[in-house]
Amino acid sequence: MAQPKQDLVQTARAMVADGRGILAADESSSTMSKRLKSVGIPSDIETRRVYRQLLFTTPGLGEFISGAILFDETIRQAADDGTPFPTVLEKQGIMPGIKVDTGAKSLPGSSGEKVTEGLDWLGDRLPEYVSMGARFAKWRAVIQIGDGIPTTKCIHANAHAMARYAAHCQEAGLVPIVEPEVLVDGDHTIERCAEVSEVTLRHHFDELATQGVVLEAMVLKPNMVMPGTDCPQQASVEEVAETTVRTMQRVVPAAVPGIVFLSGGQDAYRATEHLNAMNRLGPHPWSLSFSYARALQGPTMNAWQGEPDNAAEAQKVLAHRARCNGAATTGDYTEDMEKEYAGT
């Protein structure tokens, strides 16, 4: 059995420290352009840089955010004063991370299923990211629920690629975030989501063991267990929390230091409520935290609207949502926190 690398173990634990979570700002250029345009903001490389600068320079953000996942374009960019973004984050007490997969592509011989690519030359790419200040990395697999899917072939192909990525990361000195996302798209029930999530995670941990990945030096980033967006029977906050925790208890080894949930397109407030409810069910063998993109950035982007005069208010919105989610990591979030921010 591989022995833990203490520096990576310490980094993984710091990523999921109580009261803090991860800001996912690793959208590809095309995805970020779509999100900017959805709120009426034209997108180009400079607009994306200015927006990321707004995020990373938010006063006090490091109190509630332990790490930020960057895209390749972003980790190479700098603030207005020339300070590289990884350094900007470090000055906030935030660890820089990097998305290293190249996206989900069609799985050969499958009806619409995807497999994540990016293993080619990964071992050669990682040292450069380390030299630029990255402390951890991320790789995302997507598993879709539908008629006859997911297939075992799809789950296994993604789990195998994920485990090889994680092994590469630990060898290069990076903590791997393992992100197998069971998509919320569809009309499936919460029970079906729990079933698929459990099977998916079992395959991933089997492959991680086969590849010799040190569990103490990784972080898991799964979906919350929820009914599909088109399911006529939606679930309460308590049901989502209970079902998600039960699923994690069945398959996630206690050696994993933390689970940082993705928001999966949830409403920003509901994502906070779900995380808070899960932590109120504790104690758990692992920290339960967050690695949100839209649940943190959506309200921020709406407040900004691409206008320089709105930057300060947008940063206040981000700091508030980070604070609320930080409280949710210990089960201390309350509706009063929202009322205090709104001044009511």
Side-chain angles (χ1 to χ4, degrees), residues 272-327:
T272 306
E273 291 173 338
H274 282 148
L275 178 61
N276 191 62
M278 282 188 264
N279 277 300
R280 288 188 174 179
L281 295 172
H284 305 297
W286 358 253
S287 296
L288 297 185
S289 186
F290 61 93
S291 178
Y292 294 162
R294 276 174 285 182
L296 287 171
Q297 292 190 53
T300 306
M301 193 177 292
N302 286 331
W304 179 48
Q305 291 294 315
E307 297 294 335
D309 291 345
N310 295 338
E313 180 60 29
Q315 289 183 328
K316 289 179 181 178
V317 170
L318 175 60
H320 171 66
R321 292 261 47 90
R323 173 175 173 259
C324 288
N325 284 295

Side-chain angles (χ1 to χ4, degrees), residues 130-310:
V130 172
S131 72
M132 297 169 76
R135 301 277 300 280
F136 63 93
K138 193 205 85 167
W139 180 288
R140 173 177 177 253
V142 293
I143 306 296
Q144 186 173 356
I145 298 176
D147 186 16
I149 59 174
T151 61
T152 300
K153 178 176 74 172
C154 172
I155 294 174
H156 177 75
N158 278 290
H160 179 73
M162 182 77 75
R164 289 180 60 192
Y165 137 80
H168 273 300
C169 285
Q170 291 186 342
E171 188 171 86
L174 293 167
V175 170
I177 291 181
V178 172
E179 182 181 355
E181 178 181 2
V182 176
L183 298 176
V184 74
D185 306 309
D187 60 1
H188 53 272
T189 63
I190 191 171
E191 291 81 9
R192 177 60 174 153
C193 181
E195 176 187 7
V196 173
S197 296
E198 182 175 338
V199 170
T200 297
L201 289 170
R202 286 191 189 281
H203 275 267
H204 275 73
F205 279 106
D206 284 347
E207 286 294 320
L208 289 167
T210 298
Q211 296 299 324
V213 174
V214 178
L215 299 183
E216 294 88 345
M218 62 157 278
V219 171
L220 178 67
K221 180 177 177 177
N223 54 283
M224 296 181 192
V225 179
M226 303 171 60
T229 52
D230 295 328
C231 178
Q233 184 63 47
Q234 290 298 306
S236 67
V237 169
E238 290 73 22
E239 186 178 3
V240 169
E242 291 169 359
T243 308
T244 301
V245 168
R246 183 167 59 248
T247 301
M248 298 302 119
Q249 289 172 335
R250 287 177 173 176
V251 290
V252 182
V256 175
I259 301 172
V260 292
F261 290 98
L262 56 90
S263 54
Q266 295 179 65
D267 171 86
Y269 304 102
R270 186 51 60 94
T272 306
E273 291 173 338
H274 282 148
L275 178 61
N276 191 62
M278 282 188 264
N279 277 300
R280 288 188 174 179
L281 295 172
H284 305 297
W286 358 253
S287 296
L288 297 185
S289 186
F290 61 93
S291 178
Y292 294 162
R294 276 174 285 182
L296 287 171
Q297 292 190 53
T300 306
M301 193 177 292
N302 286 331
W304 179 48
Q305 291 294 315
E307 297 294 335
D309 291 345
N310 295 338

